[in-house]
């Protein structure tokens, strides 16, 4: 009886965790170009040039965020909306 109760309790806990856990993050669909280098279906943080602004072309379905710091830290400098090509005056770019 105790064995059955433990098994049912474990199953209930697993079901609760499965329902409470958000879905896995997915990469943006499309291509993010950084200085003309393609990054297909990008996700995460990408470094930009250290000494000169980088050209970023966002041909994805997500907004890319330019950050002042080299590891997507500091503060957001500006967004790059889907379809936009711009000179990014920052140190990194983040996209989901």
């Amino acid at each position: 009886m105790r064995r059955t109760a433990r098994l049912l309790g474990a199953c209930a806990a697993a079901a609760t965790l499965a329902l409470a856990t958000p879905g896995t993050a997915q990469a943006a669909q499309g291509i993010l170009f950084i200085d003309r280098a393609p990054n297909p279906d990008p996700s995460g943080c990408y470094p930009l040039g250290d000494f000169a602004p980088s050209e970023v072309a966002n041909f994805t379905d997500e907004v890319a965020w330019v950050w002042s710091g080299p590891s997507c830290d500091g503060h957001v400098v500006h967004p790059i909306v889907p379809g936009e090509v711009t000179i990014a005056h920052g140190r990194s770019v983040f996209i989901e």
Side-chain angles (χ1 to χ4, degrees), residues 37-90:
N39 296 283
D41 298 333
S43 178
C45 187
Y46 294 85
L48 297 178
D50 285 333
F51 302 106
S54 293
E55 179 184 75
V56 179
N58 183 6
F59 296 114
T60 72
D61 58 354
E62 297 288 337
V63 174
W65 300 94
V66 178
W67 285 82
S68 62
S71 299
C72 294
D73 56 4
H75 64 275
V76 173
V77 177
H78 62 87
I80 304 172
V81 297
E84 182 179 6
V85 178
T86 189
I87 301 299
H89 296 277

Side-chain angles (χ1 to χ4, degrees), residues 3-58:
R3 190 178 207 180
T4 303
R6 283 186 193 171
L7 180 60
L8 289 174
C11 288
T16 300
L17 285 174
L19 294 174
T21 305
T24 58
Q26 294 182 349
Q29 300 295 307
I31 301 175
L32 180 70
F33 289 91
I34 300 174
D35 292 328
R36 299 186 183 173
N39 296 283
D41 298 333
S43 178
C45 187
Y46 294 85
L48 297 178
D50 285 333
F51 302 106
S54 293
E55 179 184 75
V56 179
N58 183 6

